[in-house]
Amino acid sequence: MPTDLKSALAALDAQEPLLLLGLRETQWLDAKGGPYRLANPRSVEDLAKDVAAFANGGGLIVIGIATRPERDEEVLDRIVEVDPASVNLDQIRKLIRQWITPAPRGVRVGWSGGEGERVVFIDIPEQAVNTLFVVPAPVGKAGSSRTDTVAVPMRDGDGTHWLPRTEIQQLLAAGVRATGMPAAKALTELVRQAVLEAGPDGGLRVGQGLPDREREMRAAYGQLAGQGLGRPAGEAWAQGAAACQDLHHERDGEPGWVLCLVAGCPAVAVTALVWQAIVEAGAGMHRARIRSRPSAFPARPRTRTRRE
C-alpha cells in the first residue's frame, strides 16, 4: 500500500488505483465518490477550491473512490468506476486555469485503472515558495466568476477550509507595509494602477506578470494572433528560460493556447492539449525547441531597423 504522495502517484501511473484502498484522507490526499458536475456553478467552485487548496501545499485528488468513516477519519473504501463519457479532462484543466490565480503549474489530470476500476486523478505538485493561490469568492450561481472578490482555500488535515477574513486582512496589511508607504496612500496607488492597467473589459494583458518580457510577448502575440489566439486566460509565467502565457481560443468552446518564447528561438503558440501532453511527459520548455506543427505556429523573426 502506498504510504505517501509519491508512492500514491506511482500506483496511479502504474494503472493500479486499487492500491490506494485503505489509505486515509490526509493533508495531501482527497477522494471523491463521483465526478465534479461542471454544469453546476457550485461544483465548478468546489473544483477550484479543492485544487487551489492543494496548490497551497501540494497534493492529490482522486475521483471515483468512495470513503467510509472510521474513528473520525475518512478511509478510501471502494472504487466507484467513473464513466469516461461523464468527464471532460480538458474542461477540468481549462477551469483550473481560469478560476485559480495564479494558475498552478505542472497540474496533471488523467485516468488510471482498467475496465471496471477507472478513476480520474488530479495531481497538484507543490508550487513556488511564498505563492498564495486564490479563487473568486463562491456565490453558487451561473455566470462568469467575479473579478472583484477573493477567497483563499487551505488544506487542513483531511479537510479544506477558507482562510478567515482576519488572516487575509493581515496578509494584505503586511503587503501594504512592505511598500514603505502609509496604508491609505498604498491602497489608493494600488487601485489607481489596477484601473490604468486594466483593459476595456477589465481583462489581462498579453505579457502581464513578466514585465521584463511583456513587450516581446506582445510582439509575438501580434504575429501569431491570426492563427486563432484569443484573450489571455491568466498571467504570464516563467518556465525555465521560457516565457509562457495561457490564452483563450478566439472561438468559444475551442481548446486554448499557450504562448511560449525562448531567447534565440522562434516564438510558438501551442494548443493547450499539446502543452498538457508535454507537462505530463515531464518535458520542460528549456530542454528542446518546439517544432512547427499544425498545432504550433512559429512567428517570423522580427526585423530590427533600429536599436531598441
Side-chain angles (χ1 to χ4, degrees), residues 202-214:
L204 295 164
R205 303 186 311 275
V206 173
Q208 182 173 331
L210 293 177
D212 292 343
R213 305 194 68 177
E214 183 170 341

Side-chain angles (χ1 to χ4, degrees), residues 241-262:
C244 309
Q245 188 167 18
D246 291 305
L247 303 171
H248 294 290
H249 197 286
E250 66 177 2
R251 295 191 301 272
D252 291 340
E254 294 289 333
W257 301 90
V258 178
L259 176 65
C260 306
L261 286 80
V262 178

Side-chain angles (χ1 to χ4, degrees), residues 142-155:
S144 301
S145 59
R146 293 186 58 176
T147 59
D148 60 348
T149 64
V150 66
V152 185
M154 304 293 291
R155 189 72 179 172

Side-chain angles (χ1 to χ4, degrees), residues 193-209:
Q193 190 66 26
V195 172
L196 287 175
E197 293 183 353
D201 60 353
L204 295 164
R205 303 186 311 275
V206 173
Q208 182 173 331

Side-chain angles (χ1 to χ4, degrees), residues 166-181 183 186-187:
T166 54
E167 295 188 31
I168 294 178
Q169 187 277 332
Q170 291 171 4
L171 290 173
L172 290 172
V176 169
R177 287 194 299 270
T179 66
M181 295 187 293
L187 290 174

